[in-house]
Amino acid sequence: MTHSLTLTVNGEEKTVALDDPRVTLLDLLRERLGLTGAKKGCDRGQCGACTVLVDGRRVNACLTLALTVDGSDVLTIEGVARNGSLHPVQAAFIAHDGFQCGFCTPGQIMSAIGLMAEAGPLDDPERIREGLSGNLCRCGAYAGITEAVRDASKILSGKGGAA
Amino acid sequence: MKRFAYVRPSTLDEALAAGARPGAAYLAGGTNLLDLMKTGARRPDVVVDITRLPDLSAVTVLEDGDVRVGALVRNATLAADPAFARAYPAIAEALLSGASGQLRNMATLGGNLLQETRCAYFADPASACNRRRPGTGCDARGGENRLHAVLGWSEACIATHPSDLCVPLAAHDAVVEIVGPAGAREVPFGEFHRLPGDEPQVTTALEPGEIVAAVRLPGHGKAFAPHARYLKVRERTSYAFAVVSAAAMLRLDRGRIAEARIALGGVAARPWRAAAAEAALVGEVADDAAFHRAGELALAEARPSGENAFKIELGRRAVARVLRLAAAGTPDFAPALPASPFASTTGVALHG
C-alpha cells in the first residue's frame, strides 16, 4: 500500500509517495528529498546528529516515522540561513570553534535553536550543557559549543555578543 | 526492521478496532518502540499511530481537585506547564532529569509507563531473554548485570523499569485510566507494573488491545509541594538512565513529619514504593538520623541479582539524601541540573 505524505520542509511544501511505512523522517530528508544536512550517526536516538525541528520542537529524526509527521512543518539545517546570511547560531559556532570534524554540527545547531525556543535566553553554561546533552560530539568540541550557544543567545535576545 | 502495515485512526473506536488486529502495536512518541523495532526485539505486523486521537493531550484539573494528565501529553510539555510544576514539583523534576531535550519533546506519558526495560539482553534478539521470549532463559544472569534489579526480581528475570517519571507517580498514588475493547477501567499505579515472577513477559496490567488513556493524580498530593524532590544517580551527569533514583515528599508540622512518601527507581521491574520507611517516619523529627533509618528500611529486603550489591547501599544513601533535600524545601526554580547529586539546592552551578 502506498501512502501519500505532505510536509512543509524549510518553507516549501513537499508531497511524497511512500511505498514503505518504515521510512524514518531522517531517511525521507536524506534519501528522498536530498537534504543531507541532518546526519545518521547512531540511528537509535542516542547521538542527536539527526536533530531537526518539527512544528518548532527539536526531535530525533531517526526515531520518527515519516508518516507520523504528515502535515507538519519541518526545519532542517539547510533552512536556517536567511537571504544568504548565516543564522546567528551558525555564525557563533564558527566564531567560537564549535566543531572539529563537523559531523555532529547540524544536529548541535538545530538542537541549540530548539533549546533557545524552549528555554529563552541562556547564560549559565551548566544549563546549556544540560540542555544539549542529547547531542554528542566525539571530537570533544563541547567548550566551543557552549560558548557559541551562550554568545548566540545574547545576540538573539538583543544583548550584544561577540559573534 | 520487519515490514508492517501503518494505520492512523482518528477516533478511539477506530484505534481499538485496529489494535485488535493480530500483531498490532500502538505507536505514540515512538522513542522506545521504534528503537526496539530496529533491533528486532519488537516485530509488530500492524503499527497503529494513535498520536492523532482526540482528547488524550490535555492536562485538566477535575472538580474534586484531582489532576488528569492525558496519555499523549509529551514529557517536555508537562514539565513546562507552570501550574502543574508548582502543584507536583517532584514529577516535573523527574521529567526534566529523563532522556534528552529531543526525546522529552517526543515521548508521551502513556509511552513512559509502557516503556520496556533497558536490559541489553532484552533489546538483542540473539540473546536469551524470558521477558522477550518466555522459556529461553536469561543471559543477564552471569552477564552484564551491574545495573539490574535488587528488589522484586525472580530467577526468570532481573530487569528494571527505567522510568524517572513513574517514580514520583508511584509516590503520589496515581491512578491509571485505561480504555479497551471491553470498555474503560482504572488501575492503581502500584498495581500497573508487574514484578517478573514466573511470567516476566507480562510486564503491566494492560490487556491486549487496551490503551492507557490518562493518569490521574490525587489532589491531596499538592500538599507535598513545598517539600517534594527527585534525586537521580547516573553514570554521567546528564542523558543517562538512573543507576538508582528516589522521590521523596514530606508534609512537615513544626519540624516533625506528618506524612511521608518515598519511591525508588532503577531497583526493580516497577517503581518501588517504600511503605515501611514512610510509616516509620511519621511523627519523627525531620533529621538525618530519621532519614538514614528510612534508607535502611526502604532497602531492607534488597538482595543482589548479580554484580550489583553496590546498588543496595546506593539506594539507602539516595533515600536518605532525597529526604534531606525534600525537608530543606522545594527550590523556586528548576535546578540547572535537575535531580542531580551535583546540583546545589540554590540552583548555582557547583562545577564547570
Side-chain angles (χ1 to χ4, degrees):
Chain A
M1 180 181 172
T2 299
H3 300 265
S4 174
L5 169 70
T6 302
L7 292 171
T8 304
V9 181
N10 300 330
E12 272 183 54
E13 191 172 296
K14 307 271 185 190
T15 299
V16 187
L18 276 189
D19 52 358
D20 189 334
R22 292 174 293 186
V23 174
T24 62
L25 175 59
L26 180 62
D27 288 337
L28 180 85
L29 292 168
R30 291 181 57 84
E31 310 295 339
R32 316 261 172 142
L33 299 178
L35 296 169
T36 54
K39 296 292 185 280
K40 187 180 277 194
C42 69
D43 207 27
R44 304 273 311 268
Q46 297 175 359
C47 77
C50 66
T51 304
V52 299
L53 304 191
V54 173
D55 295 329
R57 293 156 69 99
R58 54 185 171 147
V59 302
N60 299 107
C62 75
L63 284 186
T64 304
L65 286 180
L67 287 169
T68 64
V69 292
D70 187 13
S72 301
D73 188 271
V74 178
L75 185 67
T76 74
I77 190 70
E78 288 91 345
V80 299
R82 281 283 170 270
N83 304 321
S85 297
L86 294 179
H87 186 283
V89 178
Q90 290 177 303
F93 266 69
I94 293 171
H96 292 278
D97 280 338
F99 49 85
Q100 183 177 313
C101 82
F103 185 84
C104 74
T105 312
Q108 298 278 0
I109 290 174
M110 295 314 294
S111 187
I113 293 172
L115 173 63
M116 287 178 199
E118 292 161 15
L122 290 156
D123 189 45
D124 181 353
E126 199 82 289
R127 283 188 192 275
I128 295 170
R129 284 192 286 266
E130 165 67 26
L132 294 179
S133 67
N135 292 84
L136 305 186
C137 170
R138 294 300 75 175
C139 300
Y142 294 113
I145 292 169
T146 307
E147 277 312 302
V149 174
R150 213 173 164 192
D151 205 29
S153 176
K154 280 184 199 147
I155 291 167
L156 287 165
S157 61
K159 292 178 186 163
Chain B
M1 196 190 303
K2 196 184 79 167
R3 189 154 179 148
F4 53 84
Y6 172 85
V7 290
R8 188 197 300 146
S10 52
T11 68
L12 187 58
D13 286 345
E14 284 173 28
L16 293 173
R21 288 165 65 179
Y26 293 115
L27 175 78
T31 58
N32 189 215
L33 178 60
L34 199 58
D35 190 31
L36 291 171
M37 285 163 65
K38 288 186 180 190
T39 70
R42 294 289 306 274
R43 299 167 55 79
D45 298 303
V46 184
V47 169
V48 184
D49 176 358
I50 59 169
T51 55
R52 312 290 172 106
L53 293 188
D55 307 325
L56 298 181
S57 300
V59 181
T60 318
V61 181
L62 306 176
E63 274 182 21
D64 58 3
D66 289 3
V67 175
R68 183 178 187 274
V69 184
L72 292 178
V73 174
R74 311 273 169 173
N75 284 13
T77 307
L78 188 59
D81 180 327
F84 182 85
R86 258 195 311 279
Y88 300 100
I91 297 177
E93 188 167 22
L95 282 166
L96 291 172
S97 76
S100 66
Q102 290 93 320
L103 292 168
R104 290 194 293 272
N105 280 340
M106 304 165 72
T108 64
L109 173 71
N112 191 286
L113 266 60
L114 294 170
Q115 68 183 301
E116 297 286 1
T117 181
R118 262 48 177 206
C119 174
Y121 305 100
F122 175 83
D124 170 22
S127 296
C129 174
N130 289 323
R131 177 173 286 248
R132 179 169 33 75
R133 283 192 71 192
T136 55
C138 172
D139 276 349
R141 306 299 306 274
E144 285 283 337
N145 52 27
R146 284 183 70 248
L147 301 177
H148 285 67
V150 293
L151 283 161
W153 54 273
S154 70
E155 293 302 318
C157 181
I158 61 172
T160 61
H161 193 261
S163 172
D164 294 301
L165 168 60
C166 287
V167 178
L169 290 181
H172 271 289
D173 280 335
V175 174
V176 184
E177 297 181 6
I178 294 167
V179 290
R185 64 189 183 104
E186 299 184 353
V187 175
F189 203 85
E191 295 169 22
F192 185 76
H193 296 99
R194 297 286 171 85
L195 292 177
D198 295 330
E199 291 189 317
Q201 74 278 13
V202 183
T203 58
T204 71
L206 219 55
E207 298 289 341
E210 286 188 321
I211 296 175
V212 173
V215 168
R216 209 170 62 240
L217 290 158
H220 168 70
K222 297 172 196 172
F224 294 107
H227 297 281
R229 292 302 302 269
Y230 183 67
L231 179 72
K232 179 179 179 182
V233 182
R234 291 156 268 194
E235 291 194 322
R236 61 185 179 194
T237 306
S238 176
Y239 196 19
F241 289 101
V243 179
V244 169
S245 70
M249 307 181 325
L250 297 170
R251 274 201 306 114
L252 298 178
D253 184 12
R254 283 162 291 178
R256 287 189 183 270
I257 297 165
E259 190 177 3
R261 300 281 181 88
I262 302 166
L264 290 113
V267 295
R270 70 172 179 225
W272 193 267
R273 187 79 179 268
E278 292 174 3
L281 282 172
V282 174
E284 295 291 312
V285 174
D287 63 12
D288 282 355
F291 298 156
H292 281 289
R293 278 197 304 279
E296 296 285 338
L297 281 170
L299 276 297
E301 290 161 25
R303 59 198 173 98
S305 61
E307 296 175 344
N308 56 4
F310 75 99
K311 287 180 68 166
I312 299 172
E313 180 59 20
L314 196 60
R316 292 185 189 114
R317 295 185 190 194
V319 167
R321 182 143 167 197
V322 76
L323 283 164
R324 196 156 68 233
L325 289 171
T330 306
D332 290 337
F333 300 97
L337 302 175
S340 170
F342 300 112
S344 78
T345 50
T346 60
V348 176
L350 288 178
H351 61 90

